[in-house]
Amino acid sequence: MKFNITDLAAQKFKAMVLVSLPTEELDKDGNTVYAKARFVGLFRCVPVETAKAQLTELTRLQESGDSLKAIESAGKQIEEYFLGFEAAPGEELPFVDSEGQVLANTPANVKLLLNSKEVRDAVQQSWQDARNKDVLAKNSRK
């Protein structure tokens, strides 16, 4: 395997994002029916110093009880590492625009996707899972 040095220096990577979205349907018991969607998230790592500063800021806001500012801060942090999206291999992208066309990977559409709590949470979980794996174990596989 070969690595693009520019991507390696920028620490870009891809990870599958699995999201469960509430629909307008109810099941026979009156519970919301959820639709499953998956796509590939395009990510970058944030430098250690940036991550420390973000964690300090988020902790400060949470401890101060300012939930709205904490949510806003967390959202801005996601925008720093979530670069975009693409269809999962062999599948269509599960998102379309207002004309029914497959959603283009643009900065404006990334922000639109992150307006959904479910998508935002799934993106954050996928990023954390990809970054928190046991690197030594992954790299030692033959």
Side-chain angles (χ1 to χ4, degrees):
M1 175 175 257
K2 297 186 188 256
F3 298 95
N4 177 303
I5 193 64
T6 304
D7 288 347
L8 187 60
Q11 299 178 358
K12 293 180 183 176
F13 65 95
K14 295 180 181 182
M16 190 63 64
V17 178
L18 307 172
V19 61
S20 183
L21 299 162
T23 68
E24 294 180 355
E25 299 177 37
L26 299 176
D27 66 15
K28 62 181 174 63
D29 298 322
N31 299 312
T32 301
V33 173
Y34 287 82
K36 306 284 185 195
R38 66 187 217 139
F39 62 95
V40 174
L42 309 175
F43 298 96
R44 77 174 187 97
C45 299
V46 293
V48 172
E49 289 307 313
T50 301
K52 285 180 184 178
Q54 289 174 341
L55 183 58
T56 299
E57 173 68 6
L58 192 55
T59 301
R60 184 188 65 75
L61 290 170
Q62 289 170 335
E63 288 174 353
S64 74
D66 195 339
S67 299
L68 291 177
K69 286 205 181 195
I71 291 169
E72 183 179 302
S73 176
K76 285 184 182 186
Q77 290 175 18
I78 292 171
E79 288 177 14
E80 285 193 41
Y81 60 74
F82 181 56
L83 303 176
F85 53 88
E86 61 187 39
E91 298 179 18
E92 288 187 19
L93 191 66
F95 308 109
V96 295
D97 63 19
S98 57
E99 284 84 43
Q101 299 298 312
V102 173
L103 197 65
N105 180 17
T106 66
N109 286 339
V110 168
K111 284 188 178 210
L112 281 174
L113 278 179
L114 292 176
N115 278 331
S116 163
K117 179 191 182 318
E118 292 80 11
V119 172
R120 188 173 57 250
D121 290 350
V123 163
Q124 184 176 32
Q125 188 64 53
S126 293
W127 183 80
Q128 286 175 339
D129 289 349
R131 296 299 300 149
N132 292 334
K133 296 286 184 195
D134 180 1
V135 175
L136 182 58
K138 283 174 107 175
N139 288 336
S140 65
R141 290 186 194 146
K142 294 182 182 178

